[in-house]
Coordinates of all heavy atoms in Angstrom, one line a residue:
I93 N -144.0 10.5 -62.3 CA -143.9 9.0 -62.3 C -142.6 8.6 -61.8 O -142.5 7.7 -60.8 CB -144.1 8.4 -63.7 CG1 -145.5 8.6 -64.0 CG2 -143.7 6.9 -63.6 CD1 -145.8 8.1 -65.6
A94 N -141.4 9.1 -62.1 CA -140.1 8.6 -61.6 C -140.0 8.9 -60.1 O -139.3 8.2 -59.5 CB -139.0 9.4 -62.4
E95 N -140.7 9.9 -59.5 CA -140.5 10.3 -58.3 C -141.4 9.5 -57.4 O -141.0 9.2 -56.1 CB -140.8 11.8 -58.0 CG -139.7 12.7 -58.8 CD -140.2 14.2 -58.6 OE1 -141.0 14.4 -57.5 OE2 -139.8 15.1 -59.3
R96 N -142.6 9.2 -57.8 CA -143.6 8.6 -57.0 C -143.7 7.0 -57.1 O -144.3 6.4 -56.2 CB -144.9 9.2 -57.2 CG -145.0 10.7 -57.1 CD -144.9 11.3 -55.6 NE -145.8 10.6 -54.9 CZ -147.1 11.0 -54.7 NH1 -147.5 12.1 -55.5 NH2 -148.1 10.5 -53.9
M97 N -143.3 6.5 -58.1 CA -143.6 5.0 -58.4 C -142.4 4.2 -58.0 O -141.2 4.5 -58.2 CB -143.9 4.8 -59.9 CG -144.6 3.6 -60.1 SD -145.1 3.5 -61.9 CE -146.0 1.9 -61.9
H98 N -142.8 2.9 -57.5 CA -141.9 2.0 -57.3 C -141.3 1.2 -58.5 O -142.1 0.9 -59.3 CB -142.2 1.0 -56.2 CG -142.5 1.5 -54.8 ND1 -141.5 1.8 -54.0 CD2 -143.6 1.9 -54.2 CE1 -142.1 2.3 -52.9 NE2 -143.3 2.3 -53.0
P99 N -140.0 1.1 -58.7 CA -139.5 0.5 -59.9 C -140.0 -0.9 -60.2 O -140.4 -1.4 -61.3 CB -138.0 0.2 -59.7 CG -137.6 1.4 -58.7 CD -138.8 1.5 -57.9
L100 N -140.4 -1.7 -59.1 CA -140.9 -3.0 -59.2 C -142.4 -3.0 -59.6 O -143.0 -4.0 -60.1 CB -140.8 -3.8 -57.9 CG -139.4 -4.1 -57.4 CD1 -139.4 -4.8 -56.1 CD2 -138.6 -5.0 -58.4
D101 N -143.0 -1.9 -59.6 CA -144.5 -1.7 -60.0 C -144.6 -1.3 -61.5 O -145.7 -1.4 -62.0 CB -145.2 -0.6 -59.1 CG -145.4 -1.2 -57.8 OD1 -145.5 -2.4 -57.5 OD2 -145.5 -0.3 -56.8
V102 N -143.5 -1.1 -62.1 CA -143.6 -0.7 -63.5 C -144.1 -1.9 -64.4 O -145.1 -1.5 -65.2 CB -142.3 -0.4 -64.1 CG1 -142.3 0.0 -65.7 CG2 -141.9 1.0 -63.4
P103 N -143.8 -3.1 -64.2 CA -144.3 -4.2 -65.0 C -145.9 -4.2 -64.9 O -146.7 -4.7 -65.7 CB -143.7 -5.4 -64.5 CG -142.4 -4.9 -64.0 CD -142.6 -3.6 -63.3
K104 N -146.3 -4.0 -63.6 CA -147.9 -3.9 -63.3 C -148.6 -3.0 -64.3 O -149.6 -3.2 -64.7 CB -148.2 -3.9 -61.8 CG -147.6 -5.0 -61.0 CD -148.0 -4.6 -59.5 CE -147.3 -5.8 -58.5 NZ -147.5 -5.4 -57.1
L105 N -147.9 -1.8 -64.2 CA -148.5 -0.8 -65.1 C -148.4 -1.1 -66.5 O -149.5 -0.8 -67.1 CB -147.8 0.7 -64.7 CG -148.2 1.8 -65.6 CD1 -149.6 2.1 -65.3 CD2 -147.3 3.0 -65.3
M106 N -147.4 -1.6 -67.0 CA -147.2 -1.9 -68.5 C -148.3 -3.0 -68.9 O -148.7 -2.9 -70.0 CB -145.9 -2.3 -68.8 CG -144.8 -1.4 -68.5 SD -145.1 0.2 -69.2 CE -145.0 -0.3 -71.0
R107 N -148.6 -3.9 -67.9 CA -149.7 -5.0 -68.4 C -151.1 -4.3 -68.6 O -151.8 -5.0 -69.4 CB -149.7 -5.9 -67.2 CG -148.6 -6.8 -67.1 CD -149.0 -8.2 -66.4 NE -149.0 -7.8 -65.0 CZ -148.1 -7.9 -64.0 NH1 -146.9 -8.3 -64.4 NH2 -148.3 -7.6 -62.8
V108 N -151.4 -3.1 -68.0 CA -152.7 -2.6 -68.2 C -152.7 -1.4 -69.2 O -153.7 -0.8 -69.5 CB -153.3 -2.1 -67.0 CG1 -153.4 -3.1 -65.9 CG2 -152.4 -1.0 -66.4
L109 N -151.5 -1.1 -69.9 CA -151.3 -0.1 -70.8 C -151.2 -0.7 -72.2 O -150.8 -1.8 -72.3 CB -150.2 0.8 -70.6 CG -150.2 1.7 -69.4 CD1 -148.8 2.4 -69.2 CD2 -151.3 2.8 -69.4
S110 N -151.8 0.1 -73.2 CA -151.4 -0.3 -74.5 C -150.2 0.4 -75.1 O -149.7 1.4 -74.7 CB -152.6 0.3 -75.6 OG -152.6 1.7 -75.6
Q111 N -149.3 -0.4 -75.8 CA -148.1 0.1 -76.1 C -148.0 1.3 -77.1 O -147.2 2.1 -76.9 CB -147.3 -1.2 -76.8 CG -145.8 -0.8 -77.2 CD -145.0 -2.1 -77.6 OE1 -145.1 -3.1 -76.8 NE2 -144.3 -2.0 -78.5
P112 N -149.0 1.4 -78.0 CA -149.1 2.7 -78.6 C -149.1 3.9 -77.8 O -148.6 4.9 -78.2 CB -150.3 2.5 -79.5 CG -150.5 1.1 -79.8 CD -149.9 0.5 -78.5
D113 N -150.0 3.8 -76.7 CA -150.0 5.0 -75.7 C -148.7 5.2 -75.0 O -148.3 6.4 -75.0 CB -151.1 4.7 -74.6 CG -152.5 4.8 -75.2 OD1 -152.8 5.3 -76.1 OD2 -153.4 4.1 -74.6
V114 N -148.0 4.1 -74.8 CA -146.6 4.4 -74.1 C -145.6 5.1 -75.2 O -145.0 5.9 -74.9 CB -146.1 3.1 -73.6 CG1 -144.7 3.2 -73.0 CG2 -147.0 2.5 -72.6
V115 N -145.7 4.5 -76.4 CA -144.8 5.0 -77.5 C -145.3 6.6 -77.7 O -144.3 7.4 -77.8 CB -145.0 4.3 -78.8 CG1 -144.3 4.9 -80.0 CG2 -144.6 2.8 -78.5
T116 N -146.5 6.9 -77.6 CA -146.8 8.3 -77.9 C -146.3 9.2 -76.8 O -145.9 10.3 -77.0 CB -148.4 8.4 -78.1 OG1 -148.8 7.6 -79.2 CG2 -148.8 9.8 -78.3
A117 N -146.5 8.7 -75.5 CA -146.1 9.5 -74.4 C -144.6 9.8 -74.4 O -144.2 10.8 -74.2 CB -146.6 8.8 -73.1
I118 N -143.9 8.8 -74.7 CA -142.4 8.8 -74.7 C -141.9 9.8 -75.8 O -140.9 10.5 -75.6 CB -141.7 7.5 -74.8 CG1 -142.1 6.7 -73.3 CG2 -140.2 7.6 -75.0 CD1 -141.5 5.4 -73.4
A119 N -142.5 9.4 -77.0 CA -142.1 10.3 -78.2 C -142.5 12.0 -77.9 O -141.8 12.8 -78.3 CB -142.8 10.0 -79.2
F120 N -143.6 12.1 -77.1 CA -144.1 13.5 -76.8 C -143.2 14.2 -75.7 O -143.0 15.3 -75.7 CB -145.6 13.5 -76.5 CG -146.0 14.9 -76.0 CD1 -146.2 15.8 -77.0 CD2 -146.5 15.1 -74.9 CE1 -146.7 17.1 -76.7 CE2 -146.9 16.3 -74.5 CZ -147.0 17.3 -75.4
A121 N -142.7 13.4 -74.8 CA -141.9 14.0 -73.7 C -140.8 14.8 -74.1 O -139.9 14.4 -74.9 CB -141.5 12.9 -72.7
S122 N -140.7 16.0 -73.6 CA -139.7 16.9 -73.9 C -139.1 17.7 -72.7 O -137.9 17.9 -72.5 CB -140.1 18.0 -74.9 OG -141.2 18.6 -74.4
A123 N -140.0 18.0 -71.6 CA -139.5 18.7 -70.5 C -138.7 17.7 -69.6 O -138.8 16.5 -69.9 CB -140.8 18.9 -69.6
E124 N -137.8 18.1 -68.9 CA -136.8 17.4 -68.2 C -137.5 16.3 -67.3 O -137.0 15.2 -67.3 CB -136.0 18.3 -67.3 CG -134.9 17.7 -66.5 CD -134.0 18.5 -65.7 OE1 -134.1 19.7 -65.9 OE2 -133.2 18.1 -64.9
E125 N -138.5 16.6 -66.6 CA -139.3 15.6 -65.6 C -139.8 14.6 -66.5 O -140.0 13.5 -66.0 CB -139.9 16.3 -64.5 CG -141.4 17.1 -65.3 CD -141.0 18.4 -65.5 OE1 -139.7 19.0 -65.6 OE2 -141.9 19.3 -65.8
D126 N -140.5 15.0 -67.7 CA -141.2 14.1 -68.5 C -140.1 13.0 -69.0 O -140.5 11.9 -69.1 CB -142.0 14.7 -69.5 CG -143.1 15.6 -69.0 OD1 -143.5 15.2 -67.9 OD2 -143.6 16.5 -69.8
V127 N -139.0 13.6 -69.5 CA -138.0 12.7 -70.0 C -137.5 11.7 -69.0 O -137.3 10.5 -69.2 CB -136.9 13.4 -70.5 CG1 -135.7 12.6 -71.0 CG2 -137.3 14.3 -71.8
A128 N -137.4 12.2 -67.8 CA -136.9 11.4 -66.7 C -137.9 10.1 -66.4 O -137.4 9.0 -66.1 CB -136.6 12.2 -65.3
S129 N -139.2 10.5 -66.4 CA -140.2 9.6 -66.3 C -140.2 8.4 -67.4 O -140.3 7.3 -67.1 CB -141.6 10.1 -66.1 OG -141.7 10.9 -65.0
S130 N -140.0 8.9 -68.6 CA -139.9 8.0 -69.7 C -138.6 7.0 -69.6 O -138.9 5.8 -69.7 CB -139.7 8.7 -71.0 OG -140.9 9.5 -71.3
E131 N -137.6 7.5 -69.1 CA -136.3 6.7 -68.9 C -136.7 5.7 -67.7 O -136.3 4.6 -67.8 CB -135.2 7.6 -68.7 CG -134.7 8.2 -69.9 CD -134.3 7.2 -71.0 OE1 -133.7 6.1 -70.7 OE2 -134.6 7.5 -72.2
F132 N -137.3 6.3 -66.7 CA -137.7 5.3 -65.5 C -138.5 4.1 -65.9 O -138.3 3.0 -65.7 CB -138.5 6.2 -64.6 CG -138.9 5.4 -63.4 CD1 -138.1 5.1 -62.3 CD2 -140.3 5.0 -63.4 CE1 -138.6 4.3 -61.2 CE2 -140.8 4.3 -62.3 CZ -140.0 3.9 -61.3
L133 N -139.5 4.4 -66.9 CA -140.3 3.3 -67.3 C -139.5 2.4 -68.2 O -139.7 1.1 -68.1 CB -141.5 3.9 -68.1 CG -142.6 4.6 -67.4 CD1 -143.6 5.3 -68.3 CD2 -143.3 3.9 -66.2
L134 N -138.8 2.9 -69.1 CA -137.9 2.1 -70.0 C -137.0 1.2 -69.3 O -136.8 0.0 -69.6 CB -137.2 2.8 -71.0 CG -138.1 3.6 -72.1 CD1 -137.3 4.6 -72.9 CD2 -138.8 2.4 -73.0
E135 N -136.4 1.8 -68.3 CA -135.4 1.0 -67.5 C -136.0 0.0 -66.5 O -135.2 -1.1 -66.2 CB -134.6 2.0 -66.6 CG -133.6 2.9 -67.4 CD -133.0 3.9 -66.6 OE1 -133.4 3.9 -65.3 OE2 -132.4 4.8 -67.2
N136 N -137.2 0.0 -66.2 CA -137.8 -0.9 -65.3 C -138.8 -1.8 -65.9 O -139.5 -2.6 -65.2 CB -138.4 -0.2 -64.1 CG -137.5 0.5 -63.2 OD1 -136.6 -0.1 -62.5 ND2 -137.4 1.7 -63.4
M137 N -138.9 -1.9 -67.2 CA -139.7 -2.9 -68.0 C -138.8 -3.9 -68.6 O -137.6 -3.8 -68.4 CB -140.6 -2.2 -69.0 CG -139.8 -1.5 -70.2 SD -140.9 -0.9 -71.4 CE -141.6 0.5 -70.6
S138 N -139.3 -4.9 -69.2 CA -138.4 -5.8 -69.7 C -137.6 -5.3 -70.8 O -138.0 -4.5 -71.6 CB -139.2 -7.1 -70.3 OG -139.9 -6.7 -71.5
N139 N -136.3 -5.9 -71.0 CA -135.4 -5.3 -72.1 C -136.0 -5.4 -73.4 O -135.9 -4.5 -74.3 CB -134.1 -6.1 -72.1 CG -133.3 -5.7 -70.9 OD1 -133.5 -4.7 -70.3 ND2 -132.4 -6.7 -70.4

């Protein structure tokens, strides 16, 4: 996600996702690339 997605498109993605799924994915992420994608999503959504 962090490599392929535009930062400005993150809010569009968040609008169609349920927050529990996002929480579960971020909590589950452990591999380096998965953690980088989690941080990418968090940094480009609303504070």
Side-chain angles (χ1 to χ4, degrees):
I93 290 177
E95 297 178 20
R96 303 290 305 279
M97 195 170 188
H98 294 282
L100 293 178
D101 287 334
V102 171
K104 297 179 182 178
L105 176 62
M106 298 307 299
R107 283 197 293 269
V108 299
L109 292 174
S110 68
Q111 188 161 312
D113 287 334
V114 179
V115 171
T116 301
I118 293 177
F120 176 70
S122 58
E124 182 179 351
E125 63 271 16
D126 293 338
V127 173
S129 292
S130 296
E131 287 302 318
F132 174 80
L133 293 175
L134 290 168
E135 290 172 2
N136 291 288
M137 65 178 69
S138 69
N139 290 331

